[in-house]
Amino acid sequence: MTGNKSRCQNSISQVLLTLLILCCLLQCHSRPHSYDSKSLAEISREVSKYSDIAQQIINLAVYGKAQNRSYERLAEFTDTIGNRVSGSKNLDLAIKYMYNALNQDGLENVHLELVKIPHWVRGEESAVMLLPRNHTLAILGLGSSVGTPPGGIEAEVMVVESFEELKKRASEAKGKIVVYNQPFVSYGETVAYRASGASEAAKVGAVASLIRSVTPFSINSPHTGWQWYQPGVPQIPTACITIEDAQMMARMARRGQRIVVRLTMGAQTLPDVDSYNTVAEIRGSEHPEQVVLLSGHLDSWDVGQGAMDDGGGAAISWEALSLIRDLGLRPKRTLRTVLWSAEEPGGVGAAQYFQQHKGNISNFDLVMESDLGTFSPLGLQFTGSDKARAIMKEVMKLLAPINVTSLEKHGEGTDINMWMKAGVPGASLHTADQRYFWFHHSDGDTMTVQNPEEMNLCSAVWAVVAYVVADLEEMLPR
């Protein structure tokens, strides 16, 4: 009796195992293949099905009722609030403004996420050349700079063209104001002088540093930005001067003329303050936990209007959701717009967002940032796997009607870098940005730089890419 029972149980087990294998095979055939196993032709067919929706988005943004909407929204915002430096009351007002505007626009899950951000205050500042003639220098103190003593600093100037020259002439620098007249090569290379010029000058005994503004073009316009003091190095006051004044003092120095400058800066760093990243969504229909993130930063410098840097990026990241909502579209995954706080001091708000959300990193499909102007769009810069790049190339083909199909290497953006380093695909908007650094971090960053037709095109690109990626059968492969 025991033997018969054992044989019976073995037979049942074999039948169950066979049924289980059949079920697994059926499930595998019923599920779509992952993008790792799909051919490029299959991917192309899937993406091409979105051509009609892409055209609807383009028509609405560029020719339809939403035409110029992102521009008008940005103009009203920047005209009302003005510039929005980290830690300021204006940034608080900007966050409240956007929170209310996103709610009034009917977007979903509008909320604020708490972050701590730096609070640097410029104070009164001035610089006057006393010798070889009297001349007022246009300056902008650099973020995190210390101030001068109350009476200012009066000292002889030493002009250098590079860090190498500074090191060679180190014995001459003690007690002087170092003026850097470095040529503009590219922002990525030349910004090193703004970032660490003060500490390099302090190492050789300088009492202050003045840095030629990091820009290829000037109409006597100084450009500010953040700078970092190196640990263990004396902290000296530092500011940017114009190209014109830097070159003038370089010419004077080459003639052997003695240059004396009086620098007065009331800059100070106050304790960190509470701020918020501002968030709005269109919730996904099938996989709401999976996210395509669009972003720009809400803070700016305390000059100009912060329209280009980065009001435009914030505006199109809002507009993309509005366009999709207006068309009654709801992708499979959640579209999430985040307007970052305190990007200018080094992506402070975004770094805290990453820490708060990285536990869910496997559900972040694509992170997008626009922070190099919303001029006429050329395409996207993208960081991701080869397979993800192949898919994104197909998505970009949907933008052929507005001739924005380029997919370049290396997604950029202070606020999304940590996601890309962690393996999440990332994309940044690439525009015809030759004039971007003309106005960057200066009084010239106003609505006059912005063009409504160009912003329409940027909004269309942002919305098409975000929607299609969020609605594909599978997430982008890592």
Side-chain angles (χ1 to χ4, degrees), residues 239-279:
C240 271
I241 57 174
T242 68
I243 291 177
E244 294 88 337
D245 284 339
Q247 291 181 337
M248 178 186 68
M249 287 191 279
R251 292 192 301 272
M252 290 173 170
R254 282 195 294 272
R255 296 185 196 115
Q257 292 176 294
R258 184 168 177 261
I259 307 165
V260 176
V261 165
R262 181 189 296 126
L263 175 67
T264 305
M265 292 174 60
Q268 56 180 320
T269 298
L270 302 176
D272 288 358
V273 298
D274 287 345
S275 186
Y276 301 91
N277 292 320
T278 309
V279 184

Coordinates of all heavy atoms in Angstrom, one line a residue, residues 239-279:
A239 N 36.1 88.5 -6.5 CA 35.0 89.0 -7.4 C 35.4 88.9 -8.8 O 36.6 88.8 -9.1 CB 34.7 90.5 -7.0
C240 N 34.4 89.0 -9.7 CA 34.6 89.0 -11.1 C 34.6 90.5 -11.6 O 33.8 91.3 -11.2 CB 33.6 88.2 -11.9 SG 34.1 86.5 -12.1
I241 N 35.5 90.7 -12.6 CA 35.5 92.0 -13.2 C 35.2 91.8 -14.7 O 35.1 90.7 -15.2 CB 36.9 92.7 -13.1 CG1 38.0 91.8 -13.6 CG2 37.1 93.1 -11.6 CD1 39.4 92.5 -13.6
T242 N 35.1 92.9 -15.5 CA 34.8 92.7 -16.9 C 36.0 92.3 -17.7 O 37.2 92.5 -17.3 CB 34.2 94.0 -17.5 OG1 35.3 95.0 -17.5 CG2 33.0 94.5 -16.6
I243 N 35.7 91.8 -18.9 CA 36.8 91.5 -19.8 C 37.6 92.8 -20.1 O 38.9 92.8 -20.1 CB 36.3 90.9 -21.2 CG1 35.7 89.5 -21.0 CG2 37.4 90.9 -22.3 CD1 35.1 88.9 -22.2
E244 N 36.9 93.9 -20.3 CA 37.5 95.1 -20.7 C 38.5 95.6 -19.7 O 39.6 96.0 -20.0 CB 36.4 96.2 -20.9 CG 35.5 96.0 -22.1 CD 34.3 95.1 -21.8 OE1 34.3 94.4 -20.8 OE2 33.3 95.2 -22.6
D245 N 38.1 95.5 -18.4 CA 39.0 96.0 -17.3 C 40.1 95.1 -17.1 O 41.2 95.5 -16.8 CB 38.2 96.2 -16.0 CG 37.3 97.5 -16.1 OD1 37.7 98.4 -16.9 OD2 36.3 97.6 -15.3
A246 N 39.9 93.8 -17.2 CA 41.0 92.8 -17.1 C 42.1 93.0 -18.1 O 43.3 93.0 -17.8 CB 40.5 91.4 -17.1
Q247 N 41.6 93.2 -19.4 CA 42.6 93.4 -20.5 C 43.3 94.8 -20.3 O 44.5 94.9 -20.6 CB 41.8 93.4 -21.8 CG 41.4 92.0 -22.1 CD 40.7 91.9 -23.5 OE1 40.1 92.9 -24.0 NE2 40.6 90.7 -24.1
M248 N 42.6 95.8 -19.9 CA 43.2 97.1 -19.7 C 44.3 97.0 -18.6 O 45.4 97.5 -18.8 CB 42.2 98.1 -19.2 CG 42.7 99.5 -18.9 SD 41.5 100.7 -18.2 CE 41.2 99.9 -16.6
M249 N 44.0 96.4 -17.5 CA 45.1 96.2 -16.5 C 46.2 95.4 -16.9 O 47.4 95.6 -16.6 CB 44.5 95.7 -15.2 CG 43.6 96.8 -14.4 SD 43.1 96.3 -12.8 CE 41.7 95.3 -13.1
A250 N 46.0 94.4 -17.8 CA 47.0 93.6 -18.3 C 47.9 94.4 -19.2 O 49.2 94.3 -19.2 CB 46.5 92.4 -19.1
R251 N 47.3 95.3 -20.0 CA 48.1 96.2 -20.9 C 49.0 97.1 -20.0 O 50.2 97.4 -20.3 CB 47.2 97.0 -21.8 CG 46.6 96.2 -22.9 CD 45.9 97.1 -24.0 NE 44.9 98.0 -23.4 CZ 43.6 97.7 -23.3 NH1 43.2 96.5 -23.6 NH2 42.8 98.6 -22.8
M252 N 48.4 97.7 -19.0 CA 49.1 98.6 -18.1 C 50.3 97.9 -17.4 O 51.4 98.4 -17.3 CB 48.2 99.1 -17.0 CG 47.1 100.1 -17.5 SD 46.0 100.5 -16.2 CE 45.1 101.9 -16.9
A253 N 50.1 96.6 -17.0 CA 51.1 95.8 -16.3 C 52.3 95.6 -17.3 O 53.5 95.6 -16.9 CB 50.5 94.5 -15.8
R254 N 51.9 95.3 -18.6 CA 53.0 95.0 -19.6 C 53.8 96.2 -19.8 O 55.0 96.1 -20.2 CB 52.4 94.5 -20.9 CG 51.9 93.0 -20.8 CD 51.7 92.5 -22.2 NE 50.5 93.1 -22.9 CZ 49.3 92.7 -22.7 NH1 49.0 91.6 -22.0 NH2 48.3 93.3 -23.4
R255 N 53.2 97.4 -19.7 CA 54.0 98.7 -19.8 C 54.9 99.0 -18.6 O 55.6 100.0 -18.6 CB 53.0 99.8 -20.0 CG 52.2 99.8 -21.3 CD 51.4 101.0 -21.5 NE 50.4 100.8 -22.5 CZ 49.1 100.8 -22.3 NH1 48.6 101.1 -21.0 NH2 48.2 100.6 -23.2
G256 N 54.7 98.2 -17.5 CA 55.4 98.4 -16.3 C 54.8 99.5 -15.4 O 55.4 99.9 -14.4
Q257 N 53.5 99.8 -15.7 CA 52.8 100.8 -14.8 C 52.4 100.1 -13.5 O 52.0 99.0 -13.5 CB 51.6 101.4 -15.5 CG 52.0 102.2 -16.7 CD 50.8 102.7 -17.5 OE1 50.0 101.9 -18.1 NE2 50.5 104.0 -17.5
R258 N 52.5 100.9 -12.4 CA 52.0 100.4 -11.1 C 50.5 100.6 -11.0 O 50.0 101.7 -11.3 CB 52.7 101.2 -10.0 CG 52.4 100.7 -8.6 CD 53.3 101.3 -7.6 NE 53.0 100.9 -6.2 CZ 52.3 101.6 -5.4 NH1 51.9 102.9 -5.7 NH2 52.0 101.2 -4.2
I259 N 49.8 99.5 -10.7 CA 48.3 99.6 -10.6 C 47.9 99.4 -9.1 O 48.4 98.4 -8.5 CB 47.7 98.4 -11.4 CG1 48.2 98.5 -12.9 CG2 46.2 98.5 -11.4 CD1 47.9 97.2 -13.7
V260 N 47.1 100.3 -8.6 CA 46.6 100.1 -7.2 C 45.1 100.1 -7.3 O 44.5 101.0 -8.0 CB 47.1 101.3 -6.3 CG1 46.5 101.2 -4.9 CG2 48.6 101.2 -6.2
V261 N 44.4 99.2 -6.5 CA 43.0 99.1 -6.5 C 42.5 99.1 -5.0 O 43.2 98.5 -4.2 CB 42.5 97.8 -7.2 CG1 41.0 97.5 -6.9 CG2 42.7 97.9 -8.7
R262 N 41.4 99.8 -4.8 CA 40.7 99.7 -3.5 C 39.4 98.8 -3.7 O 38.6 99.2 -4.5 CB 40.3 101.0 -2.9 CG 39.6 100.9 -1.5 CD 39.1 102.2 -1.0 NE 40.1 103.2 -0.8 CZ 40.2 104.4 -1.3 NH1 39.2 104.8 -2.1 NH2 41.2 105.2 -1.0
L263 N 39.3 97.7 -3.0 CA 38.2 96.8 -3.1 C 37.4 96.8 -1.8 O 38.0 96.6 -0.7 CB 38.7 95.4 -3.4 CG 37.7 94.2 -3.4 CD1 36.8 94.4 -4.6 CD2 38.4 92.9 -3.5
T264 N 36.1 97.0 -1.9 CA 35.2 96.9 -0.7 C 34.1 95.9 -1.0 O 33.4 96.1 -2.0 CB 34.6 98.3 -0.4 OG1 35.7 99.2 -0.3 CG2 33.8 98.3 0.9
M265 N 33.9 94.9 -0.1 CA 32.9 93.9 -0.3 C 32.2 93.6 1.1 O 32.9 93.3 2.0 CB 33.4 92.7 -0.9 CG 33.9 92.8 -2.3 SD 34.7 91.3 -3.0 CE 33.4 90.1 -2.8
G266 N 30.9 93.7 1.1 CA 30.2 93.4 2.3 C 29.6 92.0 2.3 O 28.6 91.7 3.1
A267 N 30.2 91.1 1.6 CA 29.6 89.7 1.4 C 29.7 89.0 2.7 O 30.7 89.2 3.5 CB 30.4 89.0 0.3
Q268 N 28.7 88.1 3.0 CA 28.8 87.3 4.2 C 27.9 86.0 3.9 O 27.0 86.0 3.2 CB 28.3 88.0 5.4 CG 26.9 88.6 5.3 CD 26.5 89.3 6.6 OE1 26.8 88.8 7.7 NE2 25.8 90.4 6.4
T269 N 28.3 84.9 4.6 CA 27.6 83.7 4.5 C 26.8 83.5 5.8 O 27.4 83.5 6.9 CB 28.5 82.5 4.3 OG1 29.2 82.6 3.0 CG2 27.8 81.2 4.2
L270 N 25.5 83.4 5.7 CA 24.6 83.2 6.8 C 24.3 81.7 7.0 O 24.6 80.9 6.1 CB 23.4 84.0 6.6 CG 23.6 85.5 6.4 CD1 22.3 86.2 6.1 CD2 24.3 86.2 7.6
P271 N 23.7 81.3 8.1 CA 23.4 79.9 8.3 C 22.4 79.4 7.2 O 21.6 80.1 6.6 CB 22.6 79.9 9.6 CG 23.2 81.1 10.4 CD 23.4 82.1 9.3
D272 N 22.6 78.1 6.9 CA 21.7 77.5 5.9 C 20.2 77.7 6.2 O 19.9 77.8 7.4 CB 22.0 76.0 5.8 CG 23.3 75.7 5.1 OD1 24.0 76.6 4.6 OD2 23.6 74.5 5.0
V273 N 19.3 77.7 5.2 CA 17.9 77.9 5.5 C 17.1 76.8 4.8 O 17.6 76.1 3.9 CB 17.5 79.3 4.9 CG1 18.2 80.5 5.6 CG2 17.7 79.4 3.4
D274 N 15.9 76.7 5.3 CA 14.9 75.7 4.7 C 14.5 76.2 3.3 O 14.2 77.4 3.1 CB 13.7 75.6 5.5 CG 14.0 74.8 6.8 OD1 15.0 74.1 6.9 OD2 13.1 74.8 7.7
S275 N 14.4 75.3 2.3 CA 13.8 75.6 1.0 C 13.1 74.3 0.5 O 13.0 73.4 1.3 CB 14.9 76.1 0.1 OG 14.4 76.5 -1.2
Y276 N 12.7 74.4 -0.8 CA 11.9 73.2 -1.3 C 12.2 73.0 -2.7 O 12.4 73.9 -3.5 CB 10.4 73.5 -1.1 CG 10.0 73.7 0.3 CD1 10.0 75.0 0.8 CD2 9.6 72.7 1.1 CE1 9.6 75.2 2.1 CE2 9.2 72.9 2.4 CZ 9.2 74.2 2.9 OH 8.8 74.4 4.2
N277 N 12.3 71.7 -3.1 CA 12.1 71.3 -4.5 C 10.6 71.3 -4.8 O 9.9 70.8 -4.0 CB 12.8 70.0 -4.8 CG 14.3 70.0 -4.6 OD1 14.9 70.9 -5.1 ND2 14.8 68.9 -4.1
T278 N 10.2 71.8 -6.0 CA 8.8 71.9 -6.3 C 8.5 70.8 -7.3 O 9.1 70.7 -8.4 CB 8.5 73.3 -6.9 OG1 9.1 74.3 -6.0 CG2 7.0 73.5 -7.1
V279 N 7.4 70.1 -7.0 CA 7.1 68.8 -7.8 C 5.7 68.9 -8.3 O 4.8 69.3 -7.6 CB 7.4 67.6 -7.0 CG1 7.2 66.3 -7.8 CG2 8.8 67.6 -6.3

